[in-house]
Amino acid sequence: MTGFSGDIARVGVVGCGQMGSGIAEVCARAGLDVRVAETTGEALEIGRTRLFNSLGKAVERGKISEQEREATQDRLSFTTDLGEFADRDLVIEAVVENEQVKTEIFQVLDQVVTRPDAILASNTSSIPLVRLAVATSRPDQVIGIHFFNPAPVQKLVELIPALTTSEDTIGRAQLFAEKTLGKHAIRAQDRSGFVVNALLIPYLLSAIRMFETGIASREDIDNGMELGCAHPMGPLKLADLIGLDTVASVAQSMYQEYKEPLYAAPPLLQRMVDAGRLGRKTGSGFYTYS
Ligand SMILES: NC(=O)c1ccc[n+]([C@@H]2O[C@H](COP(=O)([O-])OP(=O)(O)OC[C@H]3O[C@@H](n4cnc5c(N)ncnc54)[C@H](O)[C@@H]3O)[C@@H](O)[C@H]2O)c1
């Protein structure tokens, strides 16, 4: 898919981890000029390699041609300086699920992005959008655009307006998600977990509790849902794919919001995060990965 509709041609993506690299790939494949920022040159190199490997796989699978891969790579640029986001029409923040880190980024973006009606979006899974919005001088232009993992594959995005977000921003973000990127957009209120994680996280936590209490082995839990309910991936494999730090952070935000026991992270999850066993991204979680 190439070409764009609406008024968004230059996109900035902050963070080039699992989600940031996927979001940058989706935007560049849609024909947009995409600039990606990371904290250090090393993190940038890891992110760029992940992104370019993903484009290589898309060529191997016949999703894009070799020429499209080259053109997509030409539309991508990389930086460690958010000052280079001055000319962006839309910035999508996709850094770690940490409110303080995200708030500081929104404050910086507010200073550097010059287009008066630029949209500042977050890919957060659970942090209240309104808190990021009021950290800027343009709370009407802040919105959640929540992609799913892996972003180039999953069709869905959730659009989450804060209480302060204008109708104009919502409309332009929807046009961007649906017409420019070809995603299916659903709308959710600014409540922790939105639609999908509000349903998914208690399910994942239940599977972790089931494993922790010894009711079943990890393989039997995953096989149960794959073979009994036709899920493409069992819950423990899915938690490893999402990243156990992200699962724990989202659960914590949802628990803080609702105080429902079903959102409370089981001790095993927290211990695994403390041990640095974060799932696929670190090579070890409920399973080990080469
Ligand atoms: N993992 C998922 O399945 C998933 C799905 C949807 C949304 N999300 C959300 O996406 C966001 C990112 O998650 P992820 O899975 O990509 O995490 P990740 O750990 O893979 O990547 C986070 C990246 O952010 C970078 N970063 C941290 N601080 C930064 C800064 N100040 N400036 C620039 N880069 C910075 C880190 O170096 C890292 O590369 C989180 O808010 C998460 O909740 C995750």
Side-chain angles (χ1 to χ4, degrees), residues 14-20 37-39 43 50 82 93-97 101-102 105 123-126 146-149 241-243 245-246 250 281:
V14 191
C16 196
Q18 298 193 92
M19 292 308 296
E38 258 291 350
T39 39
R50 182 190 290 110
L82 279 183
E93 168 279 308
V95 307
V96 282
E97 188 74 348
V101 175
K102 287 186 191 286
I105 288 170
N123 186 51
T124 180
S125 304
S126 61
H146 186 225
F147 291 79
F148 288 80
N149 189 9
L241 174 71
I242 293 169
D245 53 339
T246 301
V250 177
K281 64 183 167 186

PDB file of all heavy atoms in Angstrom, residues 14-20 37-39 43 50 82 93-97 101-102 105 123-126 146-149 241-243 245-246 250 281, ligand 1:
ATOM      1  N   VAL A  14       8.690   7.903  18.355  1.00  0.00           N
ATOM      2  CA  VAL A  14       9.643   7.950  19.467  1.00  0.00           C
ATOM      3  C   VAL A  14       9.702   6.571  20.103  1.00  0.00           C
ATOM      4  O   VAL A  14       8.689   6.073  20.588  1.00  0.00           O
ATOM      5  CB  VAL A  14       9.236   8.992  20.538  1.00  0.00           C
ATOM      6  CG1 VAL A  14      10.390   9.200  21.526  1.00  0.00           C
ATOM      7  CG2 VAL A  14       8.812  10.295  19.915  1.00  0.00           C
ATOM      8  N   GLY A  15      10.905   5.972  20.114  1.00  0.00           N
ATOM      9  CA  GLY A  15      11.072   4.611  20.609  1.00  0.00           C
ATOM     10  C   GLY A  15      11.080   3.654  19.435  1.00  0.00           C
ATOM     11  O   GLY A  15      10.164   3.688  18.599  1.00  0.00           O
ATOM     12  N   CYS A  16      12.129   2.824  19.362  1.00  0.00           N
ATOM     13  CA  CYS A  16      12.211   1.860  18.257  1.00  0.00           C
ATOM     14  C   CYS A  16      12.361   0.448  18.822  1.00  0.00           C
ATOM     15  O   CYS A  16      13.194  -0.328  18.393  1.00  0.00           O
ATOM     16  CB  CYS A  16      13.361   2.228  17.314  1.00  0.00           C
ATOM     17  SG  CYS A  16      13.225   1.392  15.712  1.00  0.00           S
ATOM     18  N   GLY A  17      11.544   0.150  19.838  1.00  0.00           N
ATOM     19  CA  GLY A  17      11.483  -1.201  20.390  1.00  0.00           C
ATOM     20  C   GLY A  17      10.556  -2.039  19.532  1.00  0.00           C
ATOM     21  O   GLY A  17      10.405  -1.791  18.333  1.00  0.00           O
ATOM     22  N   GLN A  18       9.933  -3.032  20.153  1.00  0.00           N
ATOM     23  CA  GLN A  18       9.037  -3.924  19.399  1.00  0.00           C
ATOM     24  C   GLN A  18       7.958  -3.123  18.680  1.00  0.00           C
ATOM     25  O   GLN A  18       7.705  -3.327  17.496  1.00  0.00           O
ATOM     26  CB  GLN A  18       8.294  -4.859  20.346  1.00  0.00           C
ATOM     27  CG  GLN A  18       9.112  -5.796  21.149  1.00  0.00           C
ATOM     28  CD  GLN A  18       8.196  -6.840  21.765  1.00  0.00           C
ATOM     29  OE1 GLN A  18       7.978  -7.879  21.185  1.00  0.00           O
ATOM     30  NE2 GLN A  18       7.651  -6.543  22.922  1.00  0.00           N
ATOM     31  N   MET A  19       7.299  -2.226  19.412  1.00  0.00           N
ATOM     32  CA  MET A  19       6.156  -1.512  18.838  1.00  0.00           C
ATOM     33  C   MET A  19       6.597  -0.353  17.954  1.00  0.00           C
ATOM     34  O   MET A  19       6.074  -0.166  16.861  1.00  0.00           O
ATOM     35  CB  MET A  19       5.228  -1.007  19.947  1.00  0.00           C
ATOM     36  CG  MET A  19       4.510  -2.106  20.692  1.00  0.00           C
ATOM     37  SD  MET A  19       3.645  -3.282  19.644  1.00  0.00           S
ATOM     38  CE  MET A  19       2.412  -2.240  18.883  1.00  0.00           C
ATOM     39  N   GLY A  20       7.567   0.439  18.431  1.00  0.00           N
ATOM     40  CA  GLY A  20       7.999   1.608  17.648  1.00  0.00           C
ATOM     41  C   GLY A  20       8.510   1.199  16.275  1.00  0.00           C
ATOM     42  O   GLY A  20       8.185   1.825  15.266  1.00  0.00           O
ATOM     43  N   ALA A  37      13.126   8.043  16.586  1.00  0.00           N
ATOM     44  CA  ALA A  37      14.084   8.487  17.616  1.00  0.00           C
ATOM     45  C   ALA A  37      14.256   7.415  18.681  1.00  0.00           C
ATOM     46  O   ALA A  37      13.299   6.745  19.070  1.00  0.00           O
ATOM     47  CB  ALA A  37      13.598   9.775  18.269  1.00  0.00           C
ATOM     48  N   GLU A  38      15.493   7.281  19.137  1.00  0.00           N
ATOM     49  CA  GLU A  38      15.807   6.390  20.268  1.00  0.00           C
ATOM     50  C   GLU A  38      16.710   7.148  21.235  1.00  0.00           C
ATOM     51  O   GLU A  38      17.156   8.262  20.951  1.00  0.00           O
ATOM     52  CB  GLU A  38      16.495   5.110  19.769  1.00  0.00           C
ATOM     53  CG  GLU A  38      15.584   3.892  19.713  1.00  0.00           C
ATOM     54  CD  GLU A  38      15.153   3.360  21.099  1.00  0.00           C
ATOM     55  OE1 GLU A  38      15.698   3.814  22.120  1.00  0.00           O
ATOM     56  OE2 GLU A  38      14.274   2.489  21.135  1.00  0.00           O
ATOM     57  N   THR A  39      16.980   6.507  22.371  1.00  0.00           N
ATOM     58  CA  THR A  39      17.777   7.174  23.410  1.00  0.00           C
ATOM     59  C   THR A  39      19.260   7.235  23.054  1.00  0.00           C
ATOM     60  O   THR A  39      19.926   8.233  23.304  1.00  0.00           O
ATOM     61  CB  THR A  39      17.653   6.398  24.742  1.00  0.00           C
ATOM     62  OG1 THR A  39      17.664   5.003  24.434  1.00  0.00           O
ATOM     63  CG2 THR A  39      16.406   6.745  25.481  1.00  0.00           C
ATOM     64  N   ALA A  43      20.833   1.691  20.881  1.00  0.00           N
ATOM     65  CA  ALA A  43      19.411   1.306  20.848  1.00  0.00           C
ATOM     66  C   ALA A  43      18.838   1.546  19.452  1.00  0.00           C
ATOM     67  O   ALA A  43      18.015   0.773  18.949  1.00  0.00           O
ATOM     68  CB  ALA A  43      18.622   2.101  21.891  1.00  0.00           C
ATOM     69  N   ARG A  50      16.052  -4.446  13.638  1.00  0.00           N
ATOM     70  CA  ARG A  50      14.777  -5.152  13.776  1.00  0.00           C
ATOM     71  C   ARG A  50      13.828  -4.762  12.646  1.00  0.00           C
ATOM     72  O   ARG A  50      13.199  -5.605  12.011  1.00  0.00           O
ATOM     73  CB  ARG A  50      14.142  -4.829  15.136  1.00  0.00           C
ATOM     74  CG  ARG A  50      12.834  -5.562  15.360  1.00  0.00           C
ATOM     75  CD  ARG A  50      12.086  -5.068  16.575  1.00  0.00           C
ATOM     76  NE  ARG A  50      12.709  -5.398  17.836  1.00  0.00           N
ATOM     77  CZ  ARG A  50      13.293  -4.524  18.660  1.00  0.00           C
ATOM     78  NH1 ARG A  50      13.292  -3.238  18.353  1.00  0.00           N
ATOM     79  NH2 ARG A  50      13.842  -4.889  19.787  1.00  0.00           N
ATOM     80  N   LEU A  82      15.408  14.484  19.541  1.00  0.00           N
ATOM     81  CA  LEU A  82      13.990  14.818  19.285  1.00  0.00           C
ATOM     82  C   LEU A  82      13.835  16.192  18.635  1.00  0.00           C
ATOM     83  O   LEU A  82      12.781  16.502  18.081  1.00  0.00           O
ATOM     84  CB  LEU A  82      13.194  14.772  20.594  1.00  0.00           C
ATOM     85  CG  LEU A  82      12.736  13.394  21.075  1.00  0.00           C
ATOM     86  CD1 LEU A  82      11.889  13.542  22.337  1.00  0.00           C
ATOM     87  CD2 LEU A  82      11.953  12.650  20.008  1.00  0.00           C
ATOM     88  N   GLU A  93       4.362   8.378  20.025  1.00  0.00           N
ATOM     89  CA  GLU A  93       5.313   7.976  21.087  1.00  0.00           C
ATOM     90  C   GLU A  93       5.083   6.498  21.401  1.00  0.00           C
ATOM     91  O   GLU A  93       3.936   6.086  21.636  1.00  0.00           O
ATOM     92  CB  GLU A  93       5.083   8.891  22.304  1.00  0.00           C
ATOM     93  CG  GLU A  93       5.746   8.458  23.585  1.00  0.00           C
ATOM     94  CD  GLU A  93       4.947   7.389  24.282  1.00  0.00           C
ATOM     95  OE1 GLU A  93       3.732   7.576  24.498  1.00  0.00           O
ATOM     96  OE2 GLU A  93       5.546   6.349  24.601  1.00  0.00           O
ATOM     97  N   ALA A  94       6.174   5.700  21.392  1.00  0.00           N
ATOM     98  CA  ALA A  94       6.071   4.256  21.677  1.00  0.00           C
ATOM     99  C   ALA A  94       7.250   3.819  22.538  1.00  0.00           C
ATOM    100  O   ALA A  94       7.949   2.858  22.209  1.00  0.00           O
ATOM    101  CB  ALA A  94       6.010   3.463  20.374  1.00  0.00           C
ATOM    102  N   VAL A  95       7.501   4.545  23.624  1.00  0.00           N
ATOM    103  CA  VAL A  95       8.595   4.164  24.529  1.00  0.00           C
ATOM    104  C   VAL A  95       8.023   3.305  25.663  1.00  0.00           C
ATOM    105  O   VAL A  95       6.822   3.021  25.695  1.00  0.00           O
ATOM    106  CB  VAL A  95       9.354   5.399  25.093  1.00  0.00           C
ATOM    107  CG1 VAL A  95       9.808   6.310  23.965  1.00  0.00           C
ATOM    108  CG2 VAL A  95       8.529   6.168  26.100  1.00  0.00           C
ATOM    109  N   VAL A  96       8.895   2.912  26.594  1.00  0.00           N
ATOM    110  CA  VAL A  96       8.481   2.047  27.707  1.00  0.00           C
ATOM    111  C   VAL A  96       7.217   2.558  28.401  1.00  0.00           C
ATOM    112  O   VAL A  96       6.981   3.762  28.478  1.00  0.00           O
ATOM    113  CB  VAL A  96       9.605   1.926  28.764  1.00  0.00           C
ATOM    114  CG1 VAL A  96      10.662   0.961  28.303  1.00  0.00           C
ATOM    115  CG2 VAL A  96      10.219   3.282  29.080  1.00  0.00           C
ATOM    116  N   GLU A  97       6.445   1.596  28.945  1.00  0.00           N
ATOM    117  CA  GLU A  97       5.167   1.940  29.587  1.00  0.00           C
ATOM    118  C   GLU A  97       5.434   2.542  30.973  1.00  0.00           C
ATOM    119  O   GLU A  97       5.224   1.904  32.014  1.00  0.00           O
ATOM    120  CB  GLU A  97       4.298   0.669  29.660  1.00  0.00           C
ATOM    121  CG  GLU A  97       2.873   0.901  30.116  1.00  0.00           C
ATOM    122  CD  GLU A  97       1.993   1.543  29.064  1.00  0.00           C
ATOM    123  OE1 GLU A  97       2.490   2.030  28.035  1.00  0.00           O
ATOM    124  OE2 GLU A  97       0.781   1.578  29.306  1.00  0.00           O
ATOM    125  N   VAL A 101       8.411   8.815  32.110  1.00  0.00           N
ATOM    126  CA  VAL A 101       9.206   8.891  30.867  1.00  0.00           C
ATOM    127  C   VAL A 101       8.343   9.464  29.739  1.00  0.00           C
ATOM    128  O   VAL A 101       8.765  10.362  28.992  1.00  0.00           O
ATOM    129  CB  VAL A 101       9.735   7.478  30.484  1.00  0.00           C
ATOM    130  CG1 VAL A 101      10.457   7.519  29.144  1.00  0.00           C
ATOM    131  CG2 VAL A 101      10.658   6.938  31.561  1.00  0.00           C
ATOM    132  N   LYS A 102       7.110   8.984  29.642  1.00  0.00           N
ATOM    133  CA  LYS A 102       6.238   9.457  28.557  1.00  0.00           C
ATOM    134  C   LYS A 102       5.893  10.945  28.736  1.00  0.00           C
ATOM    135  O   LYS A 102       5.876  11.708  27.771  1.00  0.00           O
ATOM    136  CB  LYS A 102       4.953   8.608  28.500  1.00  0.00           C
ATOM    137  CG  LYS A 102       5.184   7.199  27.944  1.00  0.00           C
ATOM    138  CD  LYS A 102       3.880   6.450  27.778  1.00  0.00           C
ATOM    139  CE  LYS A 102       4.029   4.974  27.487  1.00  0.00           C
ATOM    140  NZ  LYS A 102       4.474   4.604  26.159  1.00  0.00           N
ATOM    141  N   ILE A 105       8.630  13.127  27.568  1.00  0.00           N
ATOM    142  CA  ILE A 105       8.709  13.152  26.099  1.00  0.00           C
ATOM    143  C   ILE A 105       7.640  14.092  25.528  1.00  0.00           C
ATOM    144  O   ILE A 105       7.911  14.884  24.615  1.00  0.00           O
ATOM    145  CB  ILE A 105       8.584  11.728  25.520  1.00  0.00           C
ATOM    146  CG1 ILE A 105       9.875  10.973  25.818  1.00  0.00           C
ATOM    147  CG2 ILE A 105       8.292  11.748  24.021  1.00  0.00           C
ATOM    148  CD1 ILE A 105       9.836   9.513  25.526  1.00  0.00           C
ATOM    149  N   ASN A 123       1.192   5.499  21.987  1.00  0.00           N
ATOM    150  CA  ASN A 123       0.821   4.095  21.803  1.00  0.00           C
ATOM    151  C   ASN A 123       0.636   3.405  23.161  1.00  0.00           C
ATOM    152  O   ASN A 123       0.608   2.183  23.246  1.00  0.00           O
ATOM    153  CB  ASN A 123       1.936   3.396  20.996  1.00  0.00           C
ATOM    154  CG  ASN A 123       1.580   1.975  20.620  1.00  0.00           C
ATOM    155  OD1 ASN A 123       0.513   1.717  20.067  1.00  0.00           O
ATOM    156  ND2 ASN A 123       2.468   1.023  20.919  1.00  0.00           N
ATOM    157  N   THR A 124       0.512   4.198  24.229  1.00  0.00           N
ATOM    158  CA  THR A 124       0.383   3.593  25.565  1.00  0.00           C
ATOM    159  C   THR A 124      -0.743   2.563  25.617  1.00  0.00           C
ATOM    160  O   THR A 124      -1.769   2.717  24.955  1.00  0.00           O
ATOM    161  CB  THR A 124       0.139   4.662  26.645  1.00  0.00           C
ATOM    162  OG1 THR A 124       0.022   3.996  27.918  1.00  0.00           O
ATOM    163  CG2 THR A 124      -1.129   5.472  26.411  1.00  0.00           C
ATOM    164  N   SER A 125      -0.534   1.534  26.454  1.00  0.00           N
ATOM    165  CA  SER A 125      -1.558   0.508  26.625  1.00  0.00           C
ATOM    166  C   SER A 125      -2.472   0.816  27.796  1.00  0.00           C
ATOM    167  O   SER A 125      -3.535   0.215  27.912  1.00  0.00           O
ATOM    168  CB  SER A 125      -0.893  -0.852  26.894  1.00  0.00           C
ATOM    169  OG  SER A 125       0.005  -1.169  25.876  1.00  0.00           O
ATOM    170  N   SER A 126      -2.054   1.717  28.681  1.00  0.00           N
ATOM    171  CA  SER A 126      -2.842   1.854  29.911  1.00  0.00           C
ATOM    172  C   SER A 126      -2.726   3.197  30.626  1.00  0.00           C
ATOM    173  O   SER A 126      -3.493   3.469  31.537  1.00  0.00           O
ATOM    174  CB  SER A 126      -2.411   0.755  30.894  1.00  0.00           C
ATOM    175  OG  SER A 126      -1.037   0.906  31.199  1.00  0.00           O
ATOM    176  N   HIS A 146      -3.417   3.343  19.510  1.00  0.00           N
ATOM    177  CA  HIS A 146      -2.871   2.118  20.113  1.00  0.00           C
ATOM    178  C   HIS A 146      -2.841   0.996  19.079  1.00  0.00           C
ATOM    179  O   HIS A 146      -3.887   0.488  18.668  1.00  0.00           O
ATOM    180  CB  HIS A 146      -3.742   1.737  21.321  1.00  0.00           C
ATOM    181  CG  HIS A 146      -3.211   0.585  22.109  1.00  0.00           C
ATOM    182  ND1 HIS A 146      -3.991  -0.446  22.556  1.00  0.00           N
ATOM    183  CD2 HIS A 146      -1.953   0.303  22.530  1.00  0.00           C
ATOM    184  CE1 HIS A 146      -3.245  -1.305  23.225  1.00  0.00           C
ATOM    185  NE2 HIS A 146      -2.010  -0.871  23.224  1.00  0.00           N
ATOM    186  N   PHE A 147      -1.616   0.633  18.669  1.00  0.00           N
ATOM    187  CA  PHE A 147      -1.411  -0.432  17.688  1.00  0.00           C
ATOM    188  C   PHE A 147      -1.273  -1.761  18.414  1.00  0.00           C
ATOM    189  O   PHE A 147      -1.048  -1.814  19.618  1.00  0.00           O
ATOM    190  CB  PHE A 147      -0.121  -0.167  16.890  1.00  0.00           C
ATOM    191  CG  PHE A 147      -0.192   1.019  15.958  1.00  0.00           C
ATOM    192  CD1 PHE A 147      -0.057   2.313  16.438  1.00  0.00           C
ATOM    193  CD2 PHE A 147      -0.382   0.832  14.595  1.00  0.00           C
ATOM    194  CE1 PHE A 147      -0.105   3.409  15.581  1.00  0.00           C
ATOM    195  CE2 PHE A 147      -0.432   1.914  13.730  1.00  0.00           C
ATOM    196  CZ  PHE A 147      -0.300   3.206  14.222  1.00  0.00           C
ATOM    197  N   PHE A 148      -1.327  -2.845  17.643  1.00  0.00           N
ATOM    198  CA  PHE A 148      -1.199  -4.181  18.230  1.00  0.00           C
ATOM    199  C   PHE A 148       0.024  -4.891  17.642  1.00  0.00           C
ATOM    200  O   PHE A 148       0.503  -4.534  16.561  1.00  0.00           O
ATOM    201  CB  PHE A 148      -2.516  -4.954  18.029  1.00  0.00           C
ATOM    202  CG  PHE A 148      -3.568  -4.379  18.933  1.00  0.00           C
ATOM    203  CD1 PHE A 148      -4.238  -3.205  18.581  1.00  0.00           C
ATOM    204  CD2 PHE A 148      -3.810  -4.934  20.173  1.00  0.00           C
ATOM    205  CE1 PHE A 148      -5.133  -2.612  19.451  1.00  0.00           C
ATOM    206  CE2 PHE A 148      -4.706  -4.350  21.044  1.00  0.00           C
ATOM    207  CZ  PHE A 148      -5.375  -3.183  20.680  1.00  0.00           C
ATOM    208  N   ASN A 149       0.512  -5.859  18.382  1.00  0.00           N
ATOM    209  CA  ASN A 149       1.805  -6.489  18.129  1.00  0.00           C
ATOM    210  C   ASN A 149       1.650  -7.814  17.359  1.00  0.00           C
ATOM    211  O   ASN A 149       0.930  -8.681  17.837  1.00  0.00           O
ATOM    212  CB  ASN A 149       2.453  -6.752  19.509  1.00  0.00           C
ATOM    213  CG  ASN A 149       3.882  -7.194  19.422  1.00  0.00           C
ATOM    214  OD1 ASN A 149       4.492  -7.164  18.379  1.00  0.00           O
ATOM    215  ND2 ASN A 149       4.417  -7.638  20.554  1.00  0.00           N
ATOM    216  N   LEU A 241       5.389 -12.871  24.162  1.00  0.00           N
ATOM    217  CA  LEU A 241       5.480 -12.049  22.948  1.00  0.00           C
ATOM    218  C   LEU A 241       5.263 -10.570  23.281  1.00  0.00           C
ATOM    219  O   LEU A 241       6.003  -9.691  22.821  1.00  0.00           O
ATOM    220  CB  LEU A 241       4.425 -12.495  21.915  1.00  0.00           C
ATOM    221  CG  LEU A 241       4.334 -11.613  20.668  1.00  0.00           C
ATOM    222  CD1 LEU A 241       5.556 -11.792  19.779  1.00  0.00           C
ATOM    223  CD2 LEU A 241       3.077 -11.935  19.856  1.00  0.00           C
ATOM    224  N   ILE A 242       4.284 -10.282  24.104  1.00  0.00           N
ATOM    225  CA  ILE A 242       3.996  -8.882  24.470  1.00  0.00           C
ATOM    226  C   ILE A 242       5.181  -8.296  25.240  1.00  0.00           C
ATOM    227  O   ILE A 242       5.561  -7.141  25.041  1.00  0.00           O
ATOM    228  CB  ILE A 242       2.711  -8.812  25.332  1.00  0.00           C
ATOM    229  CG1 ILE A 242       1.493  -9.208  24.493  1.00  0.00           C
ATOM    230  CG2 ILE A 242       2.525  -7.419  25.934  1.00  0.00           C
ATOM    231  CD1 ILE A 242       0.226  -9.421  25.306  1.00  0.00           C
ATOM    232  N   GLY A 243       5.785  -9.106  26.114  1.00  0.00           N
ATOM    233  CA  GLY A 243       6.848  -8.619  27.012  1.00  0.00           C
ATOM    234  C   GLY A 243       6.274  -8.597  28.421  1.00  0.00           C
ATOM    235  O   GLY A 243       5.256  -7.932  28.678  1.00  0.00           O
ATOM    236  N   ASP A 245       7.367  -7.277  31.147  1.00  0.00           N
ATOM    237  CA  ASP A 245       7.389  -5.958  31.789  1.00  0.00           C
ATOM    238  C   ASP A 245       6.174  -5.140  31.354  1.00  0.00           C
ATOM    239  O   ASP A 245       5.528  -4.473  32.179  1.00  0.00           O
ATOM    240  CB  ASP A 245       8.691  -5.209  31.480  1.00  0.00           C
ATOM    241  CG  ASP A 245       9.006  -5.114  29.993  1.00  0.00           C
ATOM    242  OD1 ASP A 245       8.490  -5.920  29.189  1.00  0.00           O
ATOM    243  OD2 ASP A 245       9.772  -4.203  29.613  1.00  0.00           O
ATOM    244  N   THR A 246       5.834  -5.248  30.078  1.00  0.00           N
ATOM    245  CA  THR A 246       4.660  -4.507  29.586  1.00  0.00           C
ATOM    246  C   THR A 246       3.383  -5.080  30.195  1.00  0.00           C
ATOM    247  O   THR A 246       2.515  -4.331  30.659  1.00  0.00           O
ATOM    248  CB  THR A 246       4.617  -4.565  28.040  1.00  0.00           C
ATOM    249  OG1 THR A 246       5.822  -3.985  27.535  1.00  0.00           O
ATOM    250  CG2 THR A 246       3.423  -3.799  27.483  1.00  0.00           C
ATOM    251  N   VAL A 250       0.927  -2.805  32.505  1.00  0.00           N
ATOM    252  CA  VAL A 250      -0.475  -2.571  32.134  1.00  0.00           C
ATOM    253  C   VAL A 250      -1.392  -3.071  33.258  1.00  0.00           C
ATOM    254  O   VAL A 250      -2.345  -2.404  33.649  1.00  0.00           O
ATOM    255  CB  VAL A 250      -0.805  -3.266  30.786  1.00  0.00           C
ATOM    256  CG1 VAL A 250      -2.268  -3.087  30.433  1.00  0.00           C
ATOM    257  CG2 VAL A 250       0.071  -2.720  29.667  1.00  0.00           C
ATOM    258  N   LYS A 281      11.793 -10.826  23.984  1.00  0.00           N
ATOM    259  CA  LYS A 281      12.774  -9.760  23.723  1.00  0.00           C
ATOM    260  C   LYS A 281      14.070  -9.949  24.502  1.00  0.00           C
ATOM    261  O   LYS A 281      15.090  -9.395  24.119  1.00  0.00           O
ATOM    262  CB  LYS A 281      12.168  -8.374  23.925  1.00  0.00           C
ATOM    263  CG  LYS A 281      11.709  -8.032  25.319  1.00  0.00           C
ATOM    264  CD  LYS A 281      11.061  -6.635  25.315  1.00  0.00           C
ATOM    265  CE  LYS A 281      10.300  -6.365  26.589  1.00  0.00           C
ATOM    266  NZ  LYS A 281       9.563  -5.101  26.543  1.00  0.00           N
TER     267      LYS A 281
HETATM  268  N1  LIG B   1       4.430  -5.078  23.449  1.00  0.00           N
HETATM  269  C1  LIG B   1       3.180  -5.027  23.046  1.00  0.00           C
HETATM  270  O1  LIG B   1       2.575  -6.057  22.690  1.00  0.00           O
HETATM  271  C2  LIG B   1       2.460  -3.705  22.994  1.00  0.00           C
HETATM  272  C3  LIG B   1       1.257  -3.619  22.276  1.00  0.00           C
HETATM  273  C4  LIG B   1       0.620  -2.355  22.176  1.00  0.00           C
HETATM  274  C5  LIG B   1       1.158  -1.254  22.829  1.00  0.00           C
HETATM  275  N2  LIG B   1       2.334  -1.390  23.543  1.00  0.00           N
HETATM  276  C6  LIG B   1       2.883  -0.176  24.166  1.00  0.00           C
HETATM  277  O2  LIG B   1       3.933   0.306  23.333  1.00  0.00           O
HETATM  278  C7  LIG B   1       4.928   0.958  24.135  1.00  0.00           C
HETATM  279  C8  LIG B   1       6.283   0.360  23.835  1.00  0.00           C
HETATM  280  O3  LIG B   1       6.230  -1.034  24.100  1.00  0.00           O
HETATM  281  P1  LIG B   1       7.301  -2.041  23.439  1.00  0.00           P
HETATM  282  O4  LIG B   1       6.727  -3.405  23.602  1.00  0.00           O
HETATM  283  O5  LIG B   1       7.701  -1.544  22.105  1.00  0.00           O
HETATM  284  O6  LIG B   1       8.544  -1.861  24.464  1.00  0.00           O
HETATM  285  P2  LIG B   1      10.097  -2.125  24.173  1.00  0.00           P
HETATM  286  O7  LIG B   1      10.709  -2.343  25.522  1.00  0.00           O
HETATM  287  O8  LIG B   1      10.270  -3.173  23.119  1.00  0.00           O
HETATM  288  O9  LIG B   1      10.609  -0.746  23.522  1.00  0.00           O
HETATM  289  C9  LIG B   1      10.638   0.470  24.204  1.00  0.00           C
HETATM  290  C10 LIG B   1      11.719   1.309  23.549  1.00  0.00           C
HETATM  291  O10 LIG B   1      11.625   2.641  24.033  1.00  0.00           O
HETATM  292  C11 LIG B   1      12.936   3.159  24.069  1.00  0.00           C
HETATM  293  N3  LIG B   1      12.966   4.360  24.901  1.00  0.00           N
HETATM  294  C12 LIG B   1      12.882   4.446  26.253  1.00  0.00           C
HETATM  295  N4  LIG B   1      12.940   5.742  26.622  1.00  0.00           N
HETATM  296  C13 LIG B   1      13.064   6.494  25.489  1.00  0.00           C
HETATM  297  C14 LIG B   1      13.177   7.869  25.220  1.00  0.00           C
HETATM  298  N5  LIG B   1      13.187   8.762  26.212  1.00  0.00           N
HETATM  299  N6  LIG B   1      13.284   8.279  23.927  1.00  0.00           N
HETATM  300  C15 LIG B   1      13.281   7.381  22.915  1.00  0.00           C
HETATM  301  N7  LIG B   1      13.175   6.035  23.118  1.00  0.00           N
HETATM  302  C16 LIG B   1      13.071   5.596  24.390  1.00  0.00           C
HETATM  303  C17 LIG B   1      13.770   2.007  24.599  1.00  0.00           C
HETATM  304  O11 LIG B   1      15.163   2.186  24.308  1.00  0.00           O
HETATM  305  C18 LIG B   1      13.149   0.830  23.852  1.00  0.00           C
HETATM  306  O12 LIG B   1      13.815   0.551  22.626  1.00  0.00           O
HETATM  307  C19 LIG B   1       4.464   0.833  25.589  1.00  0.00           C
HETATM  308  O13 LIG B   1       3.754   1.980  25.942  1.00  0.00           O
HETATM  309  C20 LIG B   1       3.534  -0.381  25.530  1.00  0.00           C
HETATM  310  O14 LIG B   1       2.573  -0.363  26.553  1.00  0.00           O
HETATM  311  C21 LIG B   1       3.005  -2.572  23.625  1.00  0.00           C
END
